[in-house]
């Protein structure tokens, strides 16, 4: 999974990236300090791996990972090449989802590129640049579909939908807020590769006082929630400076720090959970002496597709999957005990994987 962290200059984007990836991206109080996208790989926290490691004592434990990309700050006119616009847009195309950092805090020492703090305006600035780029793409596809319609009347549904999509974009509505009415429209939308179609999490960057003082009282945060709700996006309250402060702490110190603020999870952990939910992802597990490992798949994936995540041969020569639920294995204490109780199942090609399934794939090529 590849997530792009975006935002206007000086909203706390690179500070957040540094905190959650410990990658050391440059952070400075002026625009465009991030020119090439910094990339950091982050392990997905999963306590199930620790428990399985105690059971199997493997040579190594491999968690699922998320790739975070810190993308250059954007300004008005990016879709026309202003600032670092062309770089920004090309990097956005490569990610699975967007983490849009929105400034919701006041600090006179940190310059805002627009001169004031207004998250609704900032969201609109970036959304419009993505939309302007999308309009050009939709116009090109509409022109091609309209020409094809002259010899193929079955193209009418696609042409009509592209016109509706273009009108919505021209009204400032991102593609992710446009709801297809049938399978054809859904397929057309899914194959347009529009920037404003990508799933978005609005990371509301607040001060520590705002964060610990009650989110409901922060009008800027409430404004972002309303925008996210209207377009089918997610909202995540976060304090980038606080995340930077706890990034280097040991586990126990971090837990005490968070407990003092009434929090159970760090911003990174909450961000990862939100990403999995937004993208409809789950993890299945493999366990044994050589390795205990988590594998990320889309919810609804069938057993052969899940096997293919390990190796294409596993999917091509799939025979069956021997599956036990994580909770059942932990309750039994060993795989042998789980088998004796009949909790290890043999599943075929139509089996839909569940989060926490522990699997051994049988295959032959």
């Amino acid at each position: 999974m590849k997530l792009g962290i975006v935002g206007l200059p000086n909203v706390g984007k690179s500070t957040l990236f540094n905190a959650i990836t410990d990658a050391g991206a440059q952070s400075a109080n002026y625009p465009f300090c991030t020119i090439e996208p910094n990339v950091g790989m982050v392990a997905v926290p999963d306590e199930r791996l620790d428990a399985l490691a105690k059971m199997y004592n493997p040579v190594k434990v491999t968690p699922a990972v998320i790739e975070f990309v810190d993308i250059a700050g954007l300004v008005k006119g990016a879709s026309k090449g202003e600032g670092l616009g062309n770089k920004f847009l090309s990097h956005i195309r490569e990610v699975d989802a967007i983490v849009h950092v929105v400034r919701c805090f006041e600090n006179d020492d940190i310059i805002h590129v627009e001169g004031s703090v207004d998250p609704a305006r900032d969201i609109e600035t970036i959304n419009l640049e993505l939309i302007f780029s999308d309009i050009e793409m939709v116009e090109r596809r509409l022109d091609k579909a309209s020409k094809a319609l002259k010899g193929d009347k079955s193209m009418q549904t696609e042409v009509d939908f592209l016109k509706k999509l273009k009108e919505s974009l021209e009204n400032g509505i991102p593609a992710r807020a446009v709801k297809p009415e049938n399978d054809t429209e859904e397929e057309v939308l899914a194959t347009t590769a529009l920037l404003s179609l990508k799933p978005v999490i609005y990371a509301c960057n607040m001060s520590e006082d705002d964060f610990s003082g009650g989110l409901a009282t922060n009008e800027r945060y409430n404004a972002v929630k309303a925008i996210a709700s209207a377009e089918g996006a997610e909202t995540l309250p976060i304090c980038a400076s606080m995340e930077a402060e706890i990034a280097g702490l040991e586990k126990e110190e971090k837990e005490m720090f968070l407990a003092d603020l009434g929090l159970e999870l760090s911003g990174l952990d909450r961000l990862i959970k939100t990403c999995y939910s937004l993208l409809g992802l789950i993890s299945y597990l493999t366990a044994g002496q050589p390795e205990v490992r988590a594998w990320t798949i889309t919810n609804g994936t069938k057993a052969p597709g899940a096997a293919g995540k390990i190796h294409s041969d596993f999917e091509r020569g799939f025979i069956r999957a021997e599956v036990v639920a994580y909770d059942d294995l932990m309750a039994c204490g060993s795989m042998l005990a789980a088998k004796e109780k009949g909790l290890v199942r043999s599943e075929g090609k139509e089996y839909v994987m569940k989060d926490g399934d522990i699997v051994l794939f049988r295959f032959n090529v």
Side-chain angles (χ1 to χ4, degrees), residues 147-161:
K147 289 177 181 176
L149 177 62
K150 295 176 182 178
D152 182 2
K153 297 306 178 184
S154 68
M155 294 293 292
Q156 188 66 57
T157 301
E158 179 171 338
V159 169
D160 291 343
F161 179 69

Side-chain angles (χ1 to χ4, degrees), residues 51-348:
L52 288 171
K54 290 178 181 177
M55 181 179 290
Y56 285 95
N57 194 27
V59 175
K60 66 175 181 175
V61 176
T62 308
V65 295
I66 293 179
E67 182 177 339
F68 284 96
V69 184
D70 180 23
I71 298 173
L74 173 143
V75 294
K76 286 180 180 177
S79 59
K80 303 299 181 185
E82 291 294 326
L84 297 170
N86 293 331
K87 282 180 176 288
F88 175 92
L89 296 173
S90 66
H91 294 147
I92 284 282
R93 294 193 192 285
E94 298 170 2
V95 302
D96 299 307
I98 298 169
V99 179
H100 183 166
V101 183
V102 185
R103 180 170 167 178
C104 295
F105 67 91
E106 288 283 359
N107 188 327
D108 294 338
D109 295 330
I110 300 177
I111 303 162
H112 190 289
V113 71
E114 294 286 351
S116 62
V117 179
D118 183 345
R121 177 203 59 211
D122 294 353
I123 287 172
E124 183 180 42
T125 296
I126 286 191
N127 277 350
L128 285 178
E129 294 307 323
L130 300 183
I131 286 170
F132 290 150
S133 176
D134 286 349
I135 289 173
E136 292 183 14
M137 291 188 68
V138 171
E139 286 176 340
R140 288 197 295 269
R141 179 154 175 178
L142 178 58
D143 182 59
K144 184 178 179 181
S146 297
K147 289 177 181 176
L149 177 62
K150 295 176 182 178
D152 182 2
K153 297 306 178 184
S154 68
M155 294 293 292
Q156 188 66 57
T157 301
E158 179 171 338
V159 169
D160 291 343
F161 179 69
L162 288 170
K163 287 179 179 178
K164 182 173 74 172
L165 180 58
K166 180 172 178 283
E167 183 180 352
S168 295
L169 292 169
E170 288 173 340
N171 287 326
I173 299 170
R176 61 182 165 272
V178 177
K179 304 303 179 187
E181 295 179 3
N182 53 56
D183 291 344
T184 301
E185 292 188 356
E186 193 168 321
E187 183 179 350
V188 171
L189 184 61
T191 55
T192 51
L194 300 179
L195 298 178
S196 68
L197 185 60
K198 290 185 180 291
V200 169
I201 297 169
Y202 290 113
C204 299
N205 188 17
M206 295 184 279
S207 70
E208 192 170 328
D209 288 341
D210 284 339
F211 199 84
S212 58
L215 300 176
T217 60
N218 188 309
E219 293 182 4
R220 295 186 177 112
Y221 172 64
N222 290 330
V224 176
K225 281 184 68 178
I227 292 169
S229 177
E231 61 181 54
E234 294 279 352
T235 309
L236 180 76
I238 203 163
C239 176
S241 61
M242 185 173 71
E243 293 300 317
E245 194 174 339
I246 67 174
L249 296 180
E250 296 296 328
K251 184 179 179 181
E252 290 185 0
E253 292 177 311
K254 187 180 293 186
E255 289 174 352
M256 289 176 61
F257 188 103
L258 293 171
D260 289 341
L261 292 171
L263 299 172
E264 293 183 8
L265 299 173
S266 69
L268 172 59
D269 290 350
R270 289 184 291 110
L271 177 58
I272 289 172
K273 282 182 176 290
T274 305
C275 290
Y276 267 63
S277 173
L278 181 68
L279 295 175
L281 301 175
I282 60 173
S283 292
Y284 76 86
L285 312 166
T286 52
Q289 183 63 43
E291 184 181 30
V292 166
R293 182 163 181 168
W295 305 84
T296 301
I297 56 174
T298 303
N299 196 7
T301 300
K302 293 183 179 179
K309 290 288 289 185
I310 299 176
H311 197 284
S312 57
D313 284 351
F314 282 35
E315 182 173 9
R316 186 159 53 92
F318 179 88
I319 299 173
R320 67 180 184 275
E322 295 177 7
V323 184
V324 61
Y326 170 80
D327 289 340
D328 288 342
L329 179 61
M330 289 298 107
C332 293
S334 71
M335 186 64 76
L336 180 59
K339 286 181 177 179
E340 289 174 348
K341 292 186 177 182
L343 296 173
V344 180
R345 312 180 311 275
S346 180
E347 302 286 2

